[in-house]
Amino acid sequence: EVQLQASGGGLVQAGGSLRLSCAASGLIFDGYAIGWFRQAPGKGRERVSCIDSSDGSTNYADSVKGRFTISRDNAKNTAYLQMNSLKPEDTAVYYCAAMIACSLEGYYWGQGTLVTVSS
């Protein structure tokens, strides 16, 4: 059974930092791209960032460029999202997903972790 476990969310003041983790099991981790998505209250899901499996290339939503950094540790079957300079508009439930390539939609999804940024 494939499982993706997102963790690391919490309450932080604007300007603060959090690091989210996505621990995967039941799949060949280094064969999948990992994406981070978020959904704010009353809004649709937004792709935040993705890291590819083959060359580790990354991409980011314009709204988080320069503030968020995605990374992965294949030895630990874990991906990370370092979030700096957080803003109240970053408040959302954050999800991680595994997909064959960053150009595709998420295939395996984890449960979300809530990030709340206070002003």
Side-chain angles (χ1 to χ4, degrees):
E1 179 187 7
V2 174
Q3 289 190 336
L4 297 173
Q5 181 83 25
S7 62
L11 174 64
V12 64
Q13 287 189 331
S17 298
L18 283 174
R19 188 175 82 154
L20 305 183
S21 298
C22 175
S25 61
L27 76 170
I28 301 174
F29 185 75
D30 60 6
Y32 287 85
I34 301 295
W36 284 98
F37 300 77
R38 67 186 180 186
Q39 188 162 18
K43 295 188 177 181
R45 189 174 66 202
E46 176 189 18
R47 178 183 289 222
V48 174
S49 183
C50 190
I51 183 165
D52 222 330
S53 60
S54 56
D55 59 3
S57 59
T58 60
N59 57 60
Y60 299 90
D62 287 344
S63 57
V64 307
K65 276 181 184 176
R67 300 188 298 121
F68 290 11
T69 302
I70 191 171
S71 62
R72 63 190 297 160
D73 185 338
N74 289 338
K76 295 183 178 180
N77 285 3
T78 302
Y80 305 95
L81 186 68
Q82 178 67 44
M83 305 187 297
N84 298 330
S85 302
L86 282 161
K87 304 175 181 180
E89 51 264 43
D90 294 318
T91 294
V93 177
Y94 284 71
Y95 301 87
C96 61
M99 62 277 280
I100 298 300
C102 284
S103 58
L104 302 176
E105 290 298 315
Y107 190 75
Y108 297 111
W109 290 86
Q111 93 298 345
T113 185
L114 176 62
V115 172
T116 303
V117 184
S118 63
S119 56

